[in-house]
Amino acid sequence: MPAQSPPPARGTDRSPWNWLLLPAVVVPLLTFLFNRDEPRLFGFPVFYWLQMAFILLGVACTTVVYRMTRRRD
C-alpha cells in the first residue's frame, strides 16, 4: 500500500483586512448610541432604525473583507 502524503498545508489568513470586521462587532455593543427614543425616522424610534443600520454595516464590512481576502485559484 503506497504511503499517503499529507494534505497541502493551508496558509494562515492573517490579512490586515480582517480588522475591518471589528467595527461590525463592536459598534452594536455601544448601547449609548441607541439608548434613547429620539430622533425618530418615519415614526420609528432610534433603536429600531439603528439596528437596521448595524445590519447594513455588518454586511458592508463582511463583503469588503471577503472580496479583499478571497483566494484567486
Side-chain angles (χ1 to χ4, degrees):
M1 192 169 198
Q4 293 181 348
S5 62
R10 287 186 65 177
T12 60
D13 191 13
R14 296 189 182 260
S15 172
W17 285 101
N18 291 337
W19 285 102
L20 189 57
L21 295 172
L22 197 60
V25 173
V26 173
V27 171
L29 296 175
L30 303 175
T31 57
F32 63 87
L33 292 175
F34 53 86
N35 191 16
R36 56 185 186 270
D37 190 44
E38 298 290 331
R40 290 180 173 259
L41 184 66
F42 303 115
F44 292 102
V46 70
F47 175 80
Y48 294 106
W49 60 262
L50 202 54
Q51 292 298 315
M52 296 305 266
F54 292 155
I55 291 170
L56 294 176
L57 172 70
V59 168
C61 290
T62 304
T63 302
V64 169
V65 170
Y66 170 73
R67 289 184 181 261
M68 298 307 289
T69 60
R70 68 180 170 182
R71 299 185 196 278
R72 295 186 174 51
D73 293 332

